[in-house]
Amino acid sequence: MYYGEFKAPKGIIKVSLELDGTVISYINISGDFFMYPEEALDDLERLLVGAKAERAELSKLIEEFYGQRQIQAPMLTPDCFVEAIMRAVRR
């Protein structure tokens, strides 16, 4: 299990994850931030399972997710979540 956190402009994003090689097999994202719609965080976690833990792929996935779902997360960009995930996978 890997753990990382990132102090974003509006709260801390905490990430716990497991890897199968370089692929995310489990991920939990938490922290003191808000994301709407409310079920979006669970959906984001499901989206990321099976993704390679690489900055470029994660950025693309999360940016598309923000756009498709019209995510509202005050002062949190997709890059904030990518940074938290990358901090978790650094060994």
Side-chain angles (χ1 to χ4, degrees):
M1 179 78 68
Y2 299 95
Y3 176 80
E5 58 181 54
F6 175 66
K7 174 70 172 96
K10 183 64 175 169
I12 296 176
I13 301 171
K14 300 176 183 180
V15 174
S16 298
L17 59 79
E18 292 179 9
L19 296 174
D20 182 7
T22 61
V23 174
I24 297 171
S25 59
Y26 167 83
I27 188 166
N28 178 267
I29 302 171
S30 61
D32 58 350
F33 61 87
F34 297 99
M35 181 180 277
Y36 299 101
E38 291 181 16
E39 68 278 1
L41 190 57
D42 292 334
D43 294 343
L44 178 59
E45 290 171 344
R46 280 191 288 278
L47 173 72
L48 294 173
V49 170
K52 286 188 179 181
E54 297 174 355
R55 187 175 295 275
E57 181 169 341
L58 295 172
S59 289
K60 182 178 182 232
L61 284 172
I62 297 173
E63 285 179 24
E64 288 174 356
F65 178 78
Y66 257 62
Q68 292 170 352
R69 295 291 306 275
Q70 298 179 334
I71 299 301
Q72 296 178 24
M75 299 180 71
L76 297 180
T77 66
D79 287 337
C80 295
F81 290 95
V82 173
E83 183 60 31
I85 295 166
M86 295 312 299
R87 288 183 182 199
V89 299
R90 289 186 185 139
R91 299 177 184 163

Coordinates of all heavy atoms in Angstrom, one line a residue:
M1 N 0.9 -1.2 0.0 CA 0.0 0.0 0.0 C 0.9 1.2 0.0 O 1.8 1.3 0.8 CB -0.9 0.0 1.2 CG -1.8 1.2 1.4 SD -3.3 1.2 0.3 CE -4.2 -0.1 1.0
Y2 N 0.6 2.2 -0.9 CA 1.3 3.4 -1.0 C 0.4 4.5 -0.5 O -0.8 4.5 -0.6 CB 1.7 3.7 -2.4 CG 2.7 2.6 -3.0 CD1 2.2 1.5 -3.7 CD2 4.0 2.7 -2.7 CE1 3.0 0.6 -4.2 CE2 4.9 1.7 -3.2 CZ 4.4 0.7 -4.0 OH 5.2 -0.3 -4.4
Y3 N 1.0 5.6 0.0 CA 0.3 6.7 0.6 C 1.0 8.0 0.2 O 2.2 8.1 0.2 CB 0.2 6.6 2.1 CG -0.5 7.8 2.7 CD1 -1.9 7.9 2.7 CD2 0.2 8.8 3.2 CE1 -2.6 9.0 3.2 CE2 -0.5 9.9 3.8 CZ -1.8 10.0 3.8 OH -2.5 11.1 4.3
G4 N 0.2 9.0 -0.2 CA 0.7 10.3 -0.5 C -0.3 11.4 -0.2 O -1.5 11.1 -0.2
E5 N 0.1 12.6 0.0 CA -0.8 13.7 0.1 C -0.2 14.9 -0.5 O 1.0 15.1 -0.7 CB -1.2 13.9 1.6 CG -0.1 14.2 2.5 CD -0.6 14.4 4.0 OE1 -1.3 13.5 4.5 OE2 -0.3 15.4 4.6
F6 N -1.2 15.8 -0.9 CA -0.8 17.0 -1.5 C -1.6 18.2 -0.9 O -2.9 18.1 -0.8 CB -1.1 16.9 -3.0 CG -0.8 18.2 -3.8 CD1 0.4 18.8 -3.9 CD2 -1.9 18.9 -4.4 CE1 0.6 19.9 -4.6 CE2 -1.7 20.0 -5.1 CZ -0.4 20.6 -5.2
K7 N -1.0 19.2 -0.5 CA -1.6 20.4 0.0 C -2.0 21.3 -1.1 O -1.2 22.0 -1.7 CB -0.7 21.2 1.0 CG -1.3 22.5 1.5 CD -2.4 22.3 2.5 CE -2.9 23.5 3.1 NZ -4.0 24.2 2.5
A8 N -3.3 21.2 -1.5 CA -3.8 22.0 -2.6 C -4.3 23.3 -2.1 O -4.3 23.6 -0.9 CB -5.0 21.2 -3.3
P9 N -4.6 24.3 -3.1 CA -5.0 25.6 -2.6 C -6.2 25.6 -1.7 O -6.4 26.4 -0.9 CB -5.4 26.3 -3.9 CG -4.5 25.6 -5.0 CD -4.5 24.2 -4.5
K10 N -7.1 24.5 -1.8 CA -8.3 24.4 -1.0 C -8.3 23.1 -0.3 O -9.2 22.2 -0.6 CB -9.5 24.7 -1.8 CG -10.8 24.7 -1.1 CD -10.9 25.8 -0.1 CE -12.2 25.9 0.6 NZ -12.3 26.7 1.7
G11 N -7.4 22.8 0.6 CA -7.5 21.5 1.3 C -6.4 20.5 1.0 O -5.6 20.8 0.1
I12 N -6.3 19.5 1.7 CA -5.4 18.4 1.5 C -6.0 17.2 0.8 O -7.1 16.8 1.2 CB -4.8 17.9 2.9 CG1 -4.0 19.1 3.5 CG2 -3.9 16.7 2.7 CD1 -3.5 18.8 4.9
I13 N -5.4 16.7 -0.2 CA -5.8 15.5 -0.9 C -4.9 14.4 -0.5 O -3.7 14.4 -0.6 CB -5.7 15.7 -2.4 CG1 -6.6 16.9 -2.9 CG2 -6.2 14.4 -3.1 CD1 -6.4 17.3 -4.4
K14 N -5.6 13.3 0.1 CA -4.9 12.1 0.5 C -5.2 11.0 -0.4 O -6.3 10.8 -0.7 CB -5.3 11.8 2.0 CG -5.0 12.9 3.0 CD -5.6 12.6 4.3 CE -5.4 13.7 5.3 NZ -5.9 13.4 6.6
V15 N -4.1 10.2 -0.7 CA -4.3 9.1 -1.6 C -3.7 7.8 -1.0 O -2.5 7.9 -0.6 CB -3.7 9.4 -3.0 CG1 -3.7 8.1 -3.9 CG2 -4.4 10.5 -3.7
S16 N -4.4 6.8 -1.0 CA -3.9 5.4 -0.6 C -4.1 4.6 -1.9 O -5.2 4.6 -2.4 CB -4.6 4.8 0.6 OG -4.5 5.6 1.7
L17 N -3.1 3.8 -2.3 CA -3.3 3.0 -3.4 C -2.5 1.8 -3.4 O -1.5 1.7 -2.6 CB -3.1 3.8 -4.7 CG -1.7 4.5 -5.0 CD1 -0.7 3.5 -5.5 CD2 -1.9 5.6 -6.0
E18 N -2.8 0.8 -4.2 CA -2.1 -0.4 -4.5 C -1.8 -0.5 -6.0 O -2.6 -0.1 -6.8 CB -2.8 -1.6 -4.0 CG -3.0 -1.7 -2.5 CD -3.8 -2.9 -2.0 OE1 -4.0 -3.8 -2.8 OE2 -4.1 -2.9 -0.8
L19 N -0.6 -1.0 -6.3 CA -0.2 -1.2 -7.7 C 0.0 -2.6 -8.0 O 0.4 -3.4 -7.2 CB 1.1 -0.4 -7.9 CG 1.1 1.1 -7.8 CD1 2.5 1.6 -7.9 CD2 0.2 1.7 -8.8
D20 N -0.3 -3.0 -9.3 CA 0.0 -4.2 -9.9 C 1.0 -3.9 -11.0 O 0.6 -3.5 -12.1 CB -1.2 -4.9 -10.4 CG -0.9 -6.3 -11.0 OD1 0.2 -6.8 -10.8 OD2 -1.9 -6.9 -11.6
G21 N 2.3 -3.9 -10.6 CA 3.3 -3.4 -11.5 C 3.2 -1.9 -11.5 O 3.4 -1.2 -10.5
T22 N 2.8 -1.3 -12.7 CA 2.6 0.2 -12.8 C 1.1 0.5 -12.9 O 0.8 1.7 -13.1 CB 3.4 0.7 -14.0 OG1 2.8 0.1 -15.2 CG2 4.9 0.5 -13.9
V23 N 0.3 -0.4 -12.7 CA -1.2 -0.2 -12.9 C -1.8 -0.1 -11.5 O -1.6 -0.9 -10.6 CB -1.8 -1.4 -13.7 CG1 -3.3 -1.2 -13.8 CG2 -1.2 -1.4 -15.1
I24 N -2.7 0.9 -11.4 CA -3.4 1.0 -10.1 C -4.5 -0.1 -10.0 O -5.4 -0.2 -10.8 CB -4.1 2.4 -10.1 CG1 -3.1 3.5 -10.2 CG2 -5.0 2.6 -8.8 CD1 -3.7 4.9 -10.4
S25 N -4.4 -0.8 -8.9 CA -5.3 -1.9 -8.7 C -6.3 -1.6 -7.6 O -7.4 -2.2 -7.5 CB -4.6 -3.2 -8.3 OG -3.8 -3.0 -7.1
Y26 N -6.0 -0.6 -6.8 CA -6.9 -0.1 -5.7 C -6.5 1.4 -5.5 O -5.3 1.7 -5.4 CB -6.8 -0.9 -4.4 CG -7.4 -0.2 -3.3 CD1 -8.8 -0.4 -3.0 CD2 -6.7 0.6 -2.4 CE1 -9.4 0.3 -1.9 CE2 -7.3 1.2 -1.3 CZ -8.6 1.1 -1.1 OH -9.2 1.7 0.0
I27 N -7.5 2.2 -5.3 CA -7.2 3.6 -4.9 C -8.3 4.2 -4.0 O -9.5 3.9 -4.2 CB -7.0 4.5 -6.2 CG1 -6.5 5.9 -5.8 CG2 -8.2 4.6 -7.0 CD1 -5.9 6.7 -6.9
N28 N -7.9 4.9 -3.0 CA -8.9 5.7 -2.2 C -8.4 7.1 -2.1 O -7.2 7.3 -1.7 CB -8.9 5.0 -0.8 CG -9.8 5.8 0.2 OD1 -9.4 6.7 0.9 ND2 -11.1 5.5 0.1
I29 N -9.3 8.0 -2.4 CA -8.9 9.4 -2.4 C -9.8 10.1 -1.3 O -11.0 9.9 -1.3 CB -9.2 10.1 -3.7 CG1 -8.4 9.4 -4.8 CG2 -8.9 11.6 -3.6 CD1 -8.7 9.9 -6.2
S30 N -9.2 10.8 -0.4 CA -9.9 11.5 0.7 C -9.2 12.8 1.0 O -8.3 13.2 0.3 CB -10.0 10.6 1.9 OG -8.6 10.4 2.4
G31 N -9.8 13.5 2.0 CA -9.2 14.8 2.4 C -10.2 15.8 2.8 O -11.4 15.4 2.9
D32 N -9.8 17.0 3.0 CA -10.7 18.0 3.4 C -11.0 19.0 2.3 O -10.6 20.1 2.3 CB -10.2 18.8 4.6 CG -8.8 19.4 4.4 OD1 -8.2 19.2 3.3 OD2 -8.4 20.2 5.2
F33 N -11.7 18.4 1.3 CA -12.1 19.2 0.1 C -13.5 18.8 -0.3 O -14.1 17.8 0.2 CB -11.2 19.0 -1.1 CG -11.1 17.5 -1.5 CD1 -12.0 17.0 -2.4 CD2 -10.1 16.7 -1.0 CE1 -11.9 15.7 -2.8 CE2 -10.0 15.4 -1.4 CZ -10.9 14.9 -2.3
F34 N -14.1 19.5 -1.2 CA -15.5 19.2 -1.6 C -15.4 19.0 -3.1 O -14.7 19.6 -3.9 CB -16.4 20.4 -1.4 CG -16.6 20.7 0.1 CD1 -15.9 21.7 0.7 CD2 -17.5 19.9 0.9 CE1 -16.1 21.9 2.1 CE2 -17.6 20.1 2.2 CZ -16.9 21.1 2.8
M35 N -16.3 18.0 -3.6 CA -16.4 17.7 -5.0 C -17.9 17.4 -5.3 O -18.5 16.7 -4.6 CB -15.5 16.5 -5.4 CG -15.6 16.1 -6.9 SD -14.6 14.7 -7.3 CE -13.0 15.5 -7.5
Y36 N -18.4 18.1 -6.3 CA -19.8 17.9 -6.7 C -19.8 17.5 -8.2 O -19.0 18.0 -9.0 CB -20.6 19.2 -6.6 CG -20.6 19.7 -5.1 CD1 -19.7 20.7 -4.7 CD2 -21.4 19.1 -4.2 CE1 -19.7 21.1 -3.4 CE2 -21.4 19.5 -2.9 CZ -20.5 20.5 -2.5 OH -20.5 21.0 -1.2
P37 N -20.7 16.6 -8.6 CA -21.7 16.0 -7.8 C -21.1 15.1 -6.7 O -19.9 14.6 -6.8 CB -22.6 15.2 -8.8 CG -21.7 15.0 -10.0 CD -20.7 16.1 -10.0
E38 N -21.9 14.8 -5.7 CA -21.3 14.1 -4.5 C -20.7 12.7 -4.8 O -19.8 12.3 -4.2 CB -22.4 13.9 -3.4 CG -22.8 15.3 -2.8 CD -23.8 15.2 -1.7 OE1 -24.1 14.1 -1.2 OE2 -24.4 16.2 -1.4
E39 N -21.3 12.0 -5.8 CA -20.8 10.6 -6.1 C -19.6 10.7 -7.0 O -19.0 9.6 -7.3 CB -21.9 9.8 -6.7 CG -22.4 10.3 -8.1 CD -23.4 11.4 -8.2 OE1 -23.8 11.9 -7.1 OE2 -23.7 11.8 -9.3
A40 N -19.2 11.9 -7.4 CA -18.1 12.0 -8.4 C -16.8 11.4 -7.8 O -16.0 10.8 -8.6 CB -17.9 13.4 -8.7
L41 N -16.5 11.5 -6.6 CA -15.2 11.0 -6.0 C -15.2 9.5 -6.2 O -14.2 8.9 -6.6 CB -15.0 11.5 -4.6 CG -13.6 11.2 -4.0 CD1 -12.6 11.8 -4.9 CD2 -13.6 11.7 -2.6
D42 N -16.3 8.8 -5.8 CA -16.4 7.4 -6.0 C -16.2 7.0 -7.5 O -15.5 6.0 -7.8 CB -17.7 6.8 -5.5 CG -17.8 6.9 -4.0 OD1 -16.8 7.0 -3.3 OD2 -19.0 7.0 -3.5
D43 N -16.8 7.7 -8.3 CA -16.7 7.5 -9.8 C -15.2 7.7 -10.3 O -14.8 6.9 -11.1 CB -17.6 8.4 -10.6 CG -19.1 8.0 -10.3 OD1 -19.4 7.0 -9.8 OD2 -20.0 8.9 -10.6
L44 N -14.6 8.7 -9.7 CA -13.2 9.0 -10.1 C -12.3 7.8 -9.7 O -11.5 7.3 -10.4 CB -12.7 10.3 -9.5 CG -11.2 10.6 -9.8 CD1 -11.0 10.8 -11.2 CD2 -10.9 11.9 -9.0
E45 N -12.5 7.3 -8.5 CA -11.7 6.2 -8.0 C -11.9 5.0 -8.9 O -10.9 4.3 -9.3 CB -12.1 5.8 -6.6 CG -11.7 6.9 -5.6 CD -12.2 6.6 -4.2 OE1 -13.2 5.8 -4.0 OE2 -11.7 7.2 -3.2
R46 N -13.2 4.7 -9.3 CA -13.4 3.5 -10.2 C -12.8 3.7 -11.5 O -12.2 2.8 -12.1 CB -14.9 3.4 -10.4 CG -15.6 2.6 -9.2 CD -17.0 2.2 -9.5 NE -17.9 3.3 -9.6 CZ -18.5 3.9 -8.5 NH1 -18.2 3.4 -7.3 NH2 -19.3 4.9 -8.6
L47 N -12.8 5.0 -12.0 CA -12.1 5.3 -13.3 C -10.6 5.0 -13.3 O -10.0 4.5 -14.2 CB -12.4 6.8 -13.7 CG -11.6 7.3 -14.9 CD1 -12.2 6.7 -16.2 CD2 -11.7 8.8 -14.9
L48 N -10.0 5.3 -12.1 CA -8.5 5.2 -12.0 C -8.0 3.8 -11.8 O -6.9 3.5 -12.1 CB -8.0 6.1 -10.9 CG -8.3 7.6 -11.2 CD1 -7.9 8.4 -10.0 CD2 -7.5 8.1 -12.4
V49 N -8.9 2.9 -11.4 CA -8.5 1.5 -11.2 C -8.3 0.9 -12.6 O -9.1 1.0 -13.5 CB -9.5 0.7 -10.4 CG1 -9.2 -0.8 -10.5 CG2 -9.6 1.1 -9.0
G50 N -7.1 0.4 -12.9 CA -6.7 -0.1 -14.2 C -5.9 0.9 -15.0 O -5.4 0.5 -16.1
A51 N -5.8 2.1 -14.5 CA -4.9 3.1 -15.2 C -3.5 2.9 -14.8 O -3.2 2.5 -13.7 CB -5.4 4.5 -14.9
K52 N -2.6 3.3 -15.7 CA -1.2 3.3 -15.4 C -0.9 4.5 -14.5 O -1.4 5.6 -14.7 CB -0.3 3.4 -16.6 CG -0.2 2.1 -17.4 CD 0.8 2.3 -18.5 CE 0.9 1.0 -19.3 NZ 1.9 1.0 -20.4
A53 N 0.0 4.3 -13.5 CA 0.3 5.3 -12.5 C 1.4 6.2 -13.1 O 2.5 6.2 -12.7 CB 0.7 4.7 -11.2
E54 N 1.1 6.9 -14.2 CA 2.0 7.7 -15.0 C 1.3 9.1 -15.1 O 0.1 9.2 -15.4 CB 2.3 7.2 -16.3 CG 3.0 5.8 -16.2 CD 3.3 5.2 -17.6 OE1 2.7 5.7 -18.6 OE2 3.9 4.2 -17.6
R55 N 2.0 10.1 -14.9 CA 1.5 11.5 -14.9 C 0.7 11.8 -16.1 O -0.4 12.3 -16.0 CB 2.6 12.5 -14.7 CG 2.1 13.9 -14.5 CD 3.2 14.9 -14.2 NE 3.9 14.6 -12.9 CZ 3.5 15.0 -11.7 NH1 2.4 15.8 -11.7 NH2 4.2 14.8 -10.6
A56 N 1.2 11.5 -17.3 CA 0.5 11.9 -18.6 C -0.9 11.2 -18.7 O -1.9 11.8 -19.0 CB 1.4 11.6 -19.8
E57 N -0.9 9.9 -18.4 CA -2.2 9.2 -18.5 C -3.2 9.6 -17.5 O -4.3 9.8 -17.8 CB -1.9 7.7 -18.3 CG -3.2 6.9 -18.5 CD -3.0 5.4 -18.6 OE1 -1.9 4.9 -18.9 OE2 -4.0 4.6 -18.3
L58 N -2.7 9.8 -16.2 CA -3.6 10.3 -15.2 C -4.2 11.7 -15.5 O -5.3 11.9 -15.3 CB -2.9 10.3 -13.8 CG -2.5 8.9 -13.3 CD1 -1.6 9.0 -12.1 CD2 -3.7 8.0 -13.0
S59 N -3.3 12.6 -16.0 CA -3.8 13.9 -16.3 C -4.9 13.8 -17.4 O -5.9 14.5 -17.2 CB -2.6 14.7 -16.9 OG -1.7 15.1 -15.9
K60 N -4.7 13.1 -18.4 CA -5.7 12.9 -19.5 C -7.0 12.4 -18.9 O -8.0 12.9 -19.2 CB -5.1 12.0 -20.6 CG -6.1 11.9 -21.7 CD -5.5 11.0 -22.8 CE -6.4 10.9 -24.0 NZ -6.7 9.6 -24.4
L61 N -6.9 11.3 -18.2 CA -8.1 10.7 -17.6 C -8.9 11.7 -16.7 O -10.1 11.8 -16.8 CB -7.8 9.4 -16.8 CG -7.4 8.2 -17.6 CD1 -6.9 7.1 -16.7 CD2 -8.6 7.7 -18.4
I62 N -8.2 12.3 -15.8 CA -8.9 13.2 -14.8 C -9.4 14.4 -15.5 O -10.5 14.9 -15.2 CB -8.0 13.5 -13.6 CG1 -7.6 12.2 -12.9 CG2 -8.6 14.5 -12.7 CD1 -6.6 12.3 -11.8
E63 N -8.7 15.0 -16.5 CA -9.2 16.2 -17.2 C -10.4 15.8 -18.0 O -11.4 16.6 -18.0 CB -8.1 16.7 -18.1 CG -7.0 17.5 -17.4 CD -5.9 18.0 -18.3 OE1 -6.2 18.2 -19.5 OE2 -4.8 18.2 -17.8
E64 N -10.4 14.7 -18.6 CA -11.6 14.2 -19.4 C -12.8 14.0 -18.4 O -13.9 14.4 -18.7 CB -11.4 13.0 -20.2 CG -10.5 13.2 -21.4 CD -10.1 11.9 -22.1 OE1 -10.4 10.8 -21.6 OE2 -9.4 12.0 -23.1
F65 N -12.5 13.4 -17.3 CA -13.5 13.2 -16.2 C -14.1 14.5 -15.8 O -15.4 14.6 -15.7 CB -12.9 12.4 -15.1 CG -13.8 12.1 -13.9 CD1 -14.8 11.1 -14.0 CD2 -13.8 12.9 -12.8 CE1 -15.6 10.8 -13.0 CE2 -14.6 12.6 -11.7 CZ -15.6 11.6 -11.8
Y66 N -13.3 15.5 -15.5 CA -13.8 16.8 -15.1 C -14.7 17.4 -16.1 O -15.8 17.9 -15.8 CB -12.6 17.8 -14.9 CG -12.2 18.0 -13.5 CD1 -11.8 17.0 -12.6 CD2 -12.3 19.3 -12.9 CE1 -11.4 17.3 -11.3 CE2 -11.9 19.6 -11.6 CZ -11.4 18.6 -10.8 OH -11.0 18.9 -9.6
G67 N -14.4 17.3 -17.4 CA -15.1 17.9 -18.5 C -16.5 17.1 -18.7 O -17.5 17.7 -18.8
Q68 N -16.4 15.8 -18.7 CA -17.6 15.0 -19.0 C -18.6 15.1 -17.9 O -19.8 15.1 -18.1 CB -17.2 13.5 -19.2 CG -16.4 13.3 -20.5 CD -15.9 11.9 -20.6 OE1 -15.9 11.1 -19.7 NE2 -15.3 11.6 -21.8
R69 N -18.1 15.1 -16.7 CA -19.0 15.1 -15.5 C -19.3 16.5 -15.0 O -20.1 16.7 -14.0 CB -18.4 14.3 -14.4 CG -18.2 12.8 -14.7 CD -19.6 12.1 -14.8 NE -20.4 12.2 -13.6 CZ -20.3 11.5 -12.5 NH1 -19.4 10.5 -12.4 NH2 -21.1 11.8 -11.5
Q70 N -18.7 17.5 -15.6 CA -18.9 18.9 -15.1 C -18.6 19.0 -13.6 O -19.4 19.5 -12.8 CB -20.3 19.4 -15.5 CG -20.5 19.4 -17.0 CD -21.9 19.9 -17.4 OE1 -22.9 19.8 -16.6 NE2 -22.0 20.4 -18.6
I71 N -17.5 18.5 -13.2 CA -17.0 18.5 -11.8 C -16.9 19.9 -11.3 O -16.3 20.8 -11.9 CB -15.7 17.7 -11.7 CG1 -15.9 16.3 -12.2 CG2 -15.2 17.8 -10.3 CD1 -17.0 15.5 -11.4
Q72 N -17.3 20.1 -10.1 CA -17.1 21.3 -9.4 C -16.4 20.9 -8.1 O -16.9 20.2 -7.3 CB -18.4 22.0 -9.0 CG -19.2 22.5 -10.2 CD -20.5 23.1 -9.8 OE1 -20.7 23.5 -8.7 NE2 -21.5 23.0 -10.7
A73 N -15.1 21.4 -8.0 CA -14.3 21.2 -6.8 C -13.5 22.5 -6.6 O -12.5 22.7 -7.2 CB -13.3 20.0 -7.1
P74 N -14.1 23.3 -5.7 CA -13.5 24.7 -5.5 C -12.0 24.7 -5.3 O -11.5 24.0 -4.4 CB -14.2 25.2 -4.3 CG -15.5 24.4 -4.2 CD -15.2 23.1 -4.8
M75 N -11.3 25.4 -6.2 CA -9.9 25.6 -6.2 C -9.1 24.3 -6.4 O -7.9 24.3 -6.1 CB -9.5 26.4 -5.0 CG -10.1 27.7 -4.9 SD -9.6 28.6 -3.4 CE -7.9 29.0 -3.8
L76 N -9.7 23.2 -6.9 CA -9.0 22.0 -7.1 C -9.0 21.7 -8.6 O -10.1 21.5 -9.2 CB -9.5 20.8 -6.3 CG -9.5 20.9 -4.8 CD1 -10.1 19.7 -4.2 CD2 -8.1 21.1 -4.4
T77 N -7.9 21.6 -9.2 CA -7.8 21.3 -10.7 C -7.5 19.8 -10.8 O -7.1 19.1 -9.8 CB -6.7 22.1 -11.3 OG1 -5.4 21.7 -10.8 CG2 -6.9 23.6 -11.2
P78 N -7.6 19.2 -12.0 CA -7.2 17.8 -12.2 C -5.8 17.6 -11.8 O -5.4 16.6 -11.2 CB -7.4 17.6 -13.7 CG -8.6 18.5 -14.0 CD -8.3 19.7 -13.1
D79 N -4.9 18.6 -12.0 CA -3.5 18.5 -11.7 C -3.3 18.3 -10.2 O -2.3 17.7 -9.8 CB -2.7 19.7 -12.1 CG -2.5 19.7 -13.6 OD1 -2.6 18.7 -14.3 OD2 -2.3 20.8 -14.2
C80 N -4.1 18.8 -9.3 CA -4.0 18.6 -7.9 C -4.1 17.1 -7.5 O -3.4 16.6 -6.7 CB -5.1 19.4 -7.1 SG -4.9 21.2 -7.2
F81 N -5.1 16.5 -8.2 CA -5.3 15.0 -7.9 C -4.2 14.2 -8.5 O -3.7 13.3 -7.9 CB -6.7 14.6 -8.5 CG -7.8 15.1 -7.7 CD1 -8.4 16.3 -8.1 CD2 -8.2 14.5 -6.5 CE1 -9.5 16.8 -7.4 CE2 -9.3 15.1 -5.8 CZ -9.9 16.2 -6.2
V82 N -3.7 14.6 -9.7 CA -2.5 13.9 -10.3 C -1.3 14.0 -9.4 O -0.6 13.0 -9.1 CB -2.2 14.5 -11.7 CG1 -0.9 13.9 -12.2 CG2 -3.4 14.2 -12.6
E83 N -1.1 15.2 -8.8 CA 0.1 15.4 -8.0 C 0.0 14.5 -6.7 O 1.0 13.9 -6.3 CB 0.2 16.8 -7.6 CG 1.5 17.1 -6.7 CD 2.8 16.8 -7.4 OE1 2.9 16.8 -8.6 OE2 3.7 16.4 -6.7
A84 N -1.2 14.4 -6.1 CA -1.4 13.6 -4.9 C -1.1 12.1 -5.3 O -0.5 11.4 -4.5 CB -2.8 13.8 -4.4
I85 N -1.6 11.7 -6.4 CA -1.4 10.3 -6.8 C 0.1 10.0 -7.1 O 0.7 9.0 -6.6 CB -2.2 9.9 -8.0 CG1 -3.7 10.0 -7.7 CG2 -1.8 8.5 -8.6 CD1 -4.6 10.0 -8.9
M86 N 0.8 11.0 -7.7 CA 2.2 10.8 -8.0 C 3.0 10.8 -6.8 O 4.0 10.0 -6.7 CB 2.7 11.9 -9.0 CG 2.0 11.8 -10.4 SD 2.0 10.1 -11.2 CE 3.8 9.8 -11.3
R87 N 2.6 11.5 -5.8 CA 3.3 11.5 -4.5 C 3.2 10.2 -3.8 O 4.1 9.7 -3.1 CB 2.9 12.6 -3.6 CG 3.4 14.0 -4.1 CD 3.0 15.1 -3.2 NE 3.4 16.4 -3.8 CZ 3.6 17.5 -3.1 NH1 3.3 17.5 -1.8 NH2 4.0 18.6 -3.6
A88 N 2.0 9.5 -4.0 CA 1.8 8.2 -3.4 C 2.7 7.1 -4.1 O 3.2 6.2 -3.4 CB 0.3 7.8 -3.5
V89 N 2.9 7.2 -5.4 CA 3.6 6.1 -6.1 C 5.1 6.3 -6.1 O 5.8 5.4 -6.4 CB 3.1 5.9 -7.5 CG1 1.7 5.6 -7.5 CG2 3.4 7.2 -8.4
R90 N 5.6 7.5 -5.6 CA 7.1 7.6 -5.5 C 7.6 6.7 -4.5 O 7.1 6.6 -3.4 CB 7.4 9.1 -5.2 CG 7.1 10.0 -6.3 CD 7.6 11.4 -6.0 NE 7.2 12.3 -7.1 CZ 6.7 13.5 -6.9 NH1 6.6 14.0 -5.8 NH2 6.3 14.2 -8.0
R91 N 8.7 6.0 -4.9 CA 9.2 5.0 -3.9 C 10.5 5.5 -3.4 O 11.2 6.3 -3.9 CB 9.4 3.7 -4.7 CG 8.1 3.2 -5.2 CD 8.3 1.9 -6.0 NE 7.0 1.6 -6.5 CZ 6.8 0.8 -7.4 NH1 7.8 0.2 -8.0 NH2 5.6 0.5 -7.8

